[in-house]
Amino acid sequence: MQETRQNKIARLLQKELSIIFQEQTRAMHGVMVSVTRTKISPDLSICTAYLSIFPSERADELLKNIEKSNSQIRYSLGQRVRHQLRIVPELRFFIDDSLDYIERIDELLKQ
């Protein structure tokens, strides 16, 4: 029962976070941030979001900027989900480098 609720809330947060990042990166030409996966703790207090950042060379720089503006992102998220959730979870961001890993494997297989 609890897992179903966690999955629904994780999908909701993933959708809303992706919209927030899309709006924020619209002004930055040539940069794309997408939320590949979100996980939420059983007590719904911590949300872990995995971000795929293009171009990957600027991933560390963008992740630092995202972590600096964590409170602003959490506030925007709270405005968007205020009717679905009572408490907005704490946000933690990590880089999802699975696409780079897949690309590297493809290059090795072609050789």
Side-chain angles (χ1 to χ4, degrees):
M1 184 68 179
Q2 184 69 14
E3 270 188 32
T4 305
R5 179 168 169 81
Q6 283 176 292
N7 291 336
K8 284 182 180 180
I9 291 174
R11 284 194 307 266
L12 171 71
L13 294 175
Q14 179 178 1
K15 179 183 153 209
E16 296 300 333
L17 281 172
S18 65
I19 292 171
I20 290 170
F21 285 126
Q22 186 179 27
E23 290 172 354
Q24 286 184 351
T25 58
R26 188 168 289 148
M28 300 170 64
H29 298 290
V31 174
M32 186 172 69
V33 177
S34 58
V35 182
T36 57
R37 187 174 45 150
T38 55
K39 287 197 277 187
I40 191 142
S41 63
D43 63 350
L44 307 178
S45 65
I46 299 171
C47 175
T48 305
Y50 294 91
L51 307 176
S52 177
I53 300 174
F54 179 81
S56 58
E57 296 82 32
R58 297 182 60 192
D60 293 330
E61 171 193 345
L62 288 172
L63 186 63
K64 287 178 186 175
N65 289 339
I66 288 170
E67 288 180 355
K68 283 181 187 174
S69 61
N70 193 347
S71 60
Q72 180 186 1
I73 294 169
R74 186 174 179 203
Y75 176 78
S76 298
L77 183 64
Q79 293 296 313
R80 297 175 86 67
V81 298
R82 66 176 175 235
H83 298 296
Q84 288 98 351
L85 299 175
R86 278 187 285 166
I87 298 172
V88 179
E90 176 187 332
L91 299 174
R92 295 184 182 165
F93 298 106
F94 296 98
I95 293 178
D96 183 13
D97 57 355
S98 61
L99 293 176
D100 294 333
Y101 182 71
I102 291 170
E103 187 177 311
R104 175 82 175 125
I105 290 175
D106 285 342
E107 286 176 11
L108 291 174
L109 288 175
K110 286 179 184 176
Q111 292 177 354

